[in-house]
Amino acid sequence: MKKLLRNLPWIAMLPAPAFAAESTENGSLWLGLLVPLFAVTAALLAMLWWLRRGQALRGGTGPIKLVQAVAVGAKERVVVLDAQGRRLVIGVTSSHIELIAELRNDDAS
């Protein structure tokens, strides 16, 4: 970002695009510059909305929900999952996944 701001004065000194220079009316010049600007801005906002919506859909609506994960080593974790009404305690390493325990409803608190 700093590099972009540092180069901003040089960008302003560049010649205007050829399509803008051919325009004879001042209004059509602005229209020719603002319409693409608004189109790109709208496309970016739509893409951000779509990405955020996709994250929300993947988050908590599936059959498996992550309750808690605790690191017990560099690549080892103990994970508590809710899977279709069952609470599972799972050990996860880089090469192995193992069920440690299945908690009952009164143990879950």
Side-chain angles (χ1 to χ4, degrees):
M1 185 71 180
K2 290 180 182 179
K3 188 174 184 181
L4 177 66
L5 292 175
R6 190 176 343 127
N7 291 332
L8 195 57
W10 292 104
I11 293 172
M13 295 170 67
L14 292 174
F19 69 88
E22 293 174 6
S23 176
T24 58
E25 295 180 14
N26 204 11
S28 64
L29 171 69
W30 282 105
L31 186 65
L33 292 174
L34 290 178
V35 169
L37 177 68
F38 285 133
V40 169
T41 303
L44 287 173
L45 290 174
M47 187 174 65
L48 288 173
W49 172 81
W50 180 72
L51 287 172
R52 180 175 289 178
R53 182 175 174 261
Q55 290 292 333
L57 290 177
R58 284 193 300 261
T61 60
I64 298 175
K65 295 179 185 172
L66 177 67
V67 176
Q68 188 173 7
V70 178
V72 293
K75 295 183 181 181
E76 297 82 17
R77 306 221 183 295
V78 175
V79 179
V80 179
L81 299 174
D82 276 337
Q84 296 179 345
R86 298 167 50 191
R87 185 155 287 193
L88 307 172
V89 180
I90 297 174
V92 180
T93 67
S94 60
S95 62
H96 189 70
I97 299 173
E98 185 172 342
L99 177 66
I100 296 173
E102 182 174 348
L103 301 176
R104 297 187 309 253
N105 286 340
D106 55 346
D107 292 340
S109 61

